Amino acid sequence: MGKDLFTYQSEQFLKRNAPLAERLRPKTLDDFVGQSAVLAEGRLLRRAIKADRVGNLLLHGPPGVGKTTLAKIIAANTRSHFTILNAVLAGVKELRYEVDSAKERLDKYRLRTILFIDEVHRFNSAQQDALLPWVENGTLTLIGATTENPYFEVNKALVSRFRLFRLQHLGPEDLKKLVDRALTDSDNGYGSLNVQMTIDAVNHLVNVSNGDARSLLNALELAVESTSANSEGYIKIDLKIAEESIQERAVLYDKQGDAHFDTISAFIKSLRGSDPDAALFWLARMVEAGENPRFIFRRMLIAAAEDVGLADPQAVVVVEACAAAFERIGLPEGLYPLAQAALYLATTEKSNSLLGFFEAQRTVREAQRQDIPVHLKDAHRDKAAFGDGVGYRYPHAFVDHWVAQQYLPNALQGEVFWNPSKQGWEGKRRSLMLDRRAAQLAAGVESMQEYPFLLSDVSETPQFERWLQRQLTQQGDRLQELLERLWSGVQWQCNDRVLIVGGRSLLWALTPLKSVPEGGVTILGSCSEDLSRLSAQLEILDPLKRPNLINDSCDELNKLEMQFEWIGGRIHSKDLIPQKFVQFWEMIRSKCHSNSRLRILLTAPEIGPAESLLAILPDNYLNEMEQKLMNELIKVEHTFLFQKQNEAFFLETLKINGWHIKVEEWSESLHLKVNNELELRWLGSASFYRELICKNSLNECINIIKKALVLLHEKDLPQKLIQKKIIGEFVI
């Protein structure tokens, strides 16, 4: 039904007179400013919105960062019915109406409903509970927005059904883009007016708005609307006008809100990280904001046990003594023991080995058998009837007051819950404990033979986790060790985007796939066959979790509209073709930014197939002509397989393209089993090695190698590889 004239005019009037922030609200993802951590090209939330598969979302962040705007963009991109409620105004009646309407749409028209609830934390517990069954059975897809910490203000049952995305304060560059858009947009902003702003005025609005786009645009609107044009027709906004248009930034510290929890978190993490300067800064901030010192002491007591523990058993004693001193002294002098406790924790040695208790607790809940060994049972009551306590060895009767015997239940013999660090007090006892564990394990062998070792129950892992584990177990121990070494030390962010080069195997992408669920992984395959094989292996995964597979040509890479936080993978030296990788890494450079990092495993053989065979063949097995041909082949191997010159050129290319790199190098020895699979790998019709032999007119060597492999069938063939881990930091 069309709108009547009065309705249309009313809507147009409201649109023209809406606040600037509302008029400039983005309509598409491309217009959205900021939040690249969750919305940049290739990241999970952007992919989900484009695919119309957003699911239940909870958008958490401070005011003015785009939560409502993002919800409206989702509404514009979905085929579902989209409806909005504000928790400040709505109650159970409105919720019931929306649920009934959603059920009707689903039953009659097979149309899904997305319900957006702004300020969802304003719903009381009963109202939030009322949403649960309808979210659970799929009647509604729920998107919530909140400025409060959802883990404190939203029911746990409801939070567990959301995918949580945290939006951050907008950065200065993002806010400047909004100012520029407001001043140049003729339809919704002030593009039709001659507005001139000084750089100082812009910087002041950006600084004082504190990452809040709405606050910035409201101040800009006030500045423009309250300033008259000069004789030349220009509206000039200088620093003085900007200062009058926006209030000074308030100190952010709500004892019941995020600032309270975030600040104490920063303080504890500074203690854990052994940074006394940062610890004093966050301590001073809490004191200035009026935080209760007793609360700070409680948290320091926890840190003394959790983060210092047995590396320094005196830490708990010192903090407790300082807390007692504070109670006796009071403020302001009590700040001395407060600071003393903080500095002690920040500067002493650290260990979290006490967390072993929680591993033991988990095992208690899950272990199938927890029978107390007979010799550990109380002998005073049932010794005669059941033999309880028989076989127990009294430690004080032995040298050093210790004797090897079994203390854990039979099913758990050999389990380790406490892993002492090498630090401080416990570090001095670590070696002794390891020796005693070995002796106790040996002492429990008889019991373990009598009661077969039982694994504790493990709850079923999600399909994606099972898929990852299955891929890993298919690779073998050696490749798993290389995988761990490649990505060791990486501090993943869940929204990182990762580019895998040399994509012949999924192995090198498995760690990123597990670590960046809200970012994304792109794999560059070297040929269509590799891409087809990898694609088949990924069929089991949800499309939103699958890595993006593309050919490693520069044309395909250039089409990617995203930048990557990590570039990684494994490259074989034989693939280092200068004509290809120079242009390739120039293209990679355009896909990186100042925070991009590099992890490349470069593998090169130290000896080739021909040389390794000659090393173990019996003397005089080859005739003079065969020996001569094999020696020629060894020269070819040194020239084309090892590629030392190309390796050096490759590293130089990385440096030229903006990578600051360091190289870790080690030699790896392994043994290949001589079998049909090895022959196919070396001499199959599509193998690189066979092609190398034929290109150098040494075809007769193929028959010589085959004959040698028959003689050495099922024997171990020693191999040596040179592995280089290239660690890089991109600097624009």
Side-chain angles (χ1 to χ4, degrees):
M1 182 176 177
K3 299 175 182 176
D4 60 50
L5 178 61
F6 296 105
T7 301
Y8 176 78
Q9 289 179 336
S10 176
E11 288 181 353
Q12 292 302 307
F13 175 80
L14 290 174
K15 182 178 179 181
R16 287 192 304 271
N17 291 276
L20 177 64
E22 182 62 32
R23 301 201 305 270
L24 286 178
R25 191 185 293 276
K27 306 296 189 298
T28 67
L29 283 174
D30 292 332
D31 291 336
F32 196 91
V33 175
Q35 309 307 335
S36 60
V38 296
L39 279 176
E41 193 67 46
R43 291 208 162 116
L44 176 65
L45 183 54
R46 191 183 189 97
R47 300 199 309 269
I49 293 172
K50 287 185 174 180
D52 193 13
R53 292 186 56 195
V54 292
N56 299 308
L57 299 182
L58 187 56
L59 305 175
H60 163 226
V65 296
K67 299 185 294 298
T68 303
T69 298
L70 187 54
K72 291 186 175 182
I73 290 175
I74 292 173
N77 281 271
T78 184
R79 292 182 292 275
S80 304
H81 179 81
F82 192 93
T83 187
I84 298 177
L85 284 181
N86 190 302
V88 176
L89 304 174
V92 174
K93 178 182 177 182
E94 288 79 11
L95 278 178
R96 187 177 294 115
Y97 172 79
E98 294 298 342
V99 169
D100 291 341
S101 300
K103 289 167 64 178
E104 184 178 357
R105 291 185 203 101
L106 198 60
D107 293 340
K108 290 185 177 180
Y109 312 110
R110 295 292 183 266
L111 181 64
R112 295 181 298 125
T113 298
I114 296 178
L115 174 62
F116 172 63
I117 302 180
D118 202 5
E119 303 295 335
V120 66
H121 64 277
R122 296 294 189 95
F123 274 157
N124 60 38
S125 182
Q127 290 170 316
Q128 293 181 31
D129 286 340
L131 290 167
L132 281 173
W134 313 115
V135 172
E136 189 74 35
N137 65 21
T139 301
L140 289 171
T141 296
L142 188 61
I143 300 178
T146 175
T147 56
E148 301 300 320
N149 190 322
Y151 292 108
F152 294 100
E153 302 297 334
V154 181
N155 287 4
K156 290 182 180 179
L158 197 56
V159 169
S160 69
R161 289 159 176 79
F162 281 117
R163 178 178 284 277
L164 178 63
F165 287 95
R166 185 173 185 177
L167 306 187
Q168 305 287 351
H169 287 290
L170 298 183
E173 294 305 316
D174 296 327
L175 294 173
K176 288 177 182 178
K177 286 181 184 178
L178 291 177
V179 172
D180 183 65
R181 182 179 294 177
L183 297 180
T184 56
D185 189 327
S186 299
D187 294 330
N188 300 306
Y190 299 118
S192 58
L193 303 178
N194 295 320
V195 180
Q196 294 180 342
M197 286 191 74
T198 65
I199 295 176
D200 288 342
V202 173
N203 289 339
H204 179 76
L205 292 184
V206 167
N207 181 49
V208 180
S209 63
N210 200 26
D212 184 332
R214 188 182 298 108
S215 174
L216 173 83
L217 293 175
N218 288 344
L220 178 61
E221 182 178 24
L222 179 60
V224 173
E225 300 286 352
S226 63
T227 304
S228 302
N230 61 17
S231 58
E232 299 174 352
Y234 291 103
I235 298 175
K236 292 193 173 184
I237 310 296
D238 56 19
L239 178 59
K240 182 179 179 181
I241 295 174
E243 288 175 339
E244 293 172 348
S245 301
I246 191 168
Q247 296 296 317
E248 285 297 324
R249 181 167 38 198
V251 176
L252 181 61
Y253 197 92
D254 175 6
K255 291 185 183 180
Q256 303 302 320
D258 276 359
H260 164 77
F261 294 103
D262 289 344
T263 308
I264 193 66
S265 174
F267 173 62
I268 295 300
K269 287 172 181 174
S270 299
L271 297 180
R272 183 181 299 140
S274 299
D275 188 331
D277 301 306
L280 287 181
F281 173 80
W282 297 117
L283 179 63
R285 174 171 171 170
M286 288 187 289
V287 169
E288 281 297 301
E291 185 62 83
N292 189 336
R294 293 181 179 87
F295 166 74
I296 301 174
F297 272 119
R298 284 198 300 272
R299 294 303 300 267
M300 283 197 288
L301 275 170
I302 295 170
E306 179 184 357
D307 297 314
V308 177
L310 293 178
D312 183 356
Q314 286 296 310
V316 171
V317 178
V318 170
V319 176
E320 180 61 30
C322 288
F326 177 85
E327 292 296 332
R328 178 170 295 187
I329 298 170
L331 290 171
E333 290 85 354
L335 294 177
Y336 287 113
L338 183 68
Q340 180 180 347
L343 286 174
Y344 187 93
L345 293 180
T347 54
T348 194
E349 294 171 303
K350 306 294 191 298
S351 170
N352 67 345
S353 66
L354 295 182
L355 293 178
F357 167 77
F358 300 101
E359 182 65 20
Q361 192 176 44
R362 182 190 65 80
T363 304
V364 166
R365 292 167 179 163
E366 297 180 354
Q368 295 179 21
R369 300 186 62 174
Q370 302 179 23
D371 299 333
I372 299 174
V374 171
H375 66 281
L376 296 184
K377 291 183 177 180
D378 181 11
H380 294 91
R381 294 177 298 114
D382 301 320
K383 181 175 182 179
F386 301 107
D388 289 353
V390 173
Y392 173 66
R393 299 176 182 179
Y394 187 58
H396 297 299
F398 294 84
V399 178
D400 296 328
H401 300 265
W402 183 84
V403 62
Q405 64 182 327
Q406 176 187 345
Y407 290 100
L408 278 169
N410 296 309
L412 298 178
Q413 187 65 17
E415 281 279 5
V416 173
F417 301 113
W418 183 49
N419 289 297
S421 71
K422 297 179 181 179
Q423 308 301 317
W425 182 89
E426 70 180 10
K428 297 173 183 177
R429 290 152 182 80
R430 184 172 185 272
S431 178
L432 176 63
M433 287 303 305
L434 294 178
D435 290 343
R436 287 183 173 178
R437 276 177 178 158
Q440 282 177 304
L441 188 59
V445 167
E446 286 189 23
S447 299
M448 292 175 65
Q449 290 174 342
E450 184 177 354
Y451 302 96
F453 185 62
L454 300 173
L455 293 176
S456 58
D457 288 332
V458 179
S459 58
E460 185 176 76
T461 55
Q463 185 183 42
F464 182 56
E465 293 292 330
R466 295 201 306 273
W467 177 86
L468 281 172
Q469 191 58 41
R470 187 162 62 250
Q471 298 298 320
L472 275 171
T473 54
Q474 292 172 355
Q475 303 295 335
D477 292 341
R478 174 181 161 267
L479 288 180
Q480 286 191 50
E481 290 174 5
L482 285 177
L483 173 65
E484 292 174 4
R485 192 153 186 171
L486 172 64
W487 297 115
S488 66
V490 171
Q491 299 294 319
W492 297 105
Q493 301 296 317
C494 65
N495 54 15
D496 282 343
R497 291 159 297 184
V498 184
L499 181 66
I500 302 295
V501 299
R504 287 192 173 88
S505 167
L506 280 176
L507 174 67
W508 316 108
L510 294 181
T511 301
L513 275 173
K514 186 174 183 179
S515 306
V516 295
E518 294 172 13
V521 177
T522 298
I523 301 177
L524 299 181
S526 57
C527 62
S528 58
E529 290 80 5
D530 287 340
L531 291 174
S532 178
R533 174 172 44 80
L534 296 177
S535 180
Q537 294 176 21
L538 294 167
E539 280 299 316
I540 191 174
L541 298 186
D542 183 294
L544 287 178
K545 288 187 176 180
R546 291 177 196 167
N548 184 24
L549 299 177
I550 65 171
N551 192 283
D552 67 358
S553 68
C554 289
D555 289 340
E556 290 297 315
L557 189 57
N558 189 41
K559 293 177 184 177
L560 289 176
E561 297 180 355
M562 68 180 83
Q563 290 183 311
F564 296 92
E565 282 68 42
W566 290 97
I567 312 294
R570 186 190 192 190
I571 300 175
H572 291 271
S573 61
K574 64 182 178 60
D575 296 326
L576 293 178
I577 304 170
Q579 300 93 311
K580 179 179 179 180
F581 70 68
V582 169
Q583 185 182 5
F584 177 80
W585 284 95
E586 286 178 353
M587 185 61 65
I588 290 285
R589 179 176 59 187
S590 68
K591 304 300 176 185
C592 298
H593 53 74
S594 58
N595 290 323
S596 296
R597 300 291 184 267
L598 181 76
R599 291 291 189 279
I600 296 291
L601 186 65
L602 184 58
T603 302
E606 195 170 349
I607 57 174
E611 192 171 359
S612 61
L613 282 174
L614 286 182
I616 64 171
L617 279 173
D619 294 340
N620 302 321
Y621 177 75
L622 301 179
N623 61 40
E624 185 177 348
M625 179 58 69
E626 290 173 334
Q627 184 73 45
K628 182 178 179 181
L629 287 170
M630 291 294 281
N631 287 336
E632 287 297 318
L633 180 55
I634 290 173
K635 291 179 182 178
V636 170
E637 289 177 351
H638 280 262
T639 303
F640 293 98
L641 285 183
F642 303 164
Q643 299 289 351
K644 294 186 182 297
Q645 187 174 357
N646 286 354
E647 283 184 26
F649 188 42
F650 172 65
L651 296 177
E652 187 61 31
T653 300
L654 292 179
K655 295 177 183 177
I656 291 173
N657 281 283
W659 294 99
H660 287 185
I661 64 173
K662 66 177 182 178
V663 179
E664 299 175 1
E665 180 176 323
W666 68 95
S667 180
E668 183 184 15
S669 298
L670 62 150
H671 291 83
L672 299 178
K673 183 69 70 176
V674 177
N675 52 27
N676 294 335
E677 183 182 343
L678 180 64
E679 180 178 339
L680 185 64
R681 204 162 94 197
W682 282 358
L683 302 176
S685 59
S687 80
F688 172 83
Y689 189 57
R690 184 187 184 103
E691 184 182 349
L692 183 66
I693 293 172
C694 295
K695 276 186 177 180
N696 288 274
S697 303
L698 293 168
N699 301 52
E700 185 58 33
C701 286
I702 294 175
N703 293 326
I704 299 172
I705 293 173
K706 284 185 176 181
K707 185 172 71 170
L709 291 176
V710 170
L711 176 71
L712 300 171
H713 189 68
E714 291 303 316
K715 288 186 167 51
D716 287 336
L717 185 67
Q719 288 280 291
K720 287 187 177 180
L721 298 175
I722 297 295
Q723 303 283 7
K724 294 181 180 179
K725 178 181 174 182
I726 304 168
I727 302 172
E729 178 180 341
F730 188 71
V731 179
I732 298 177

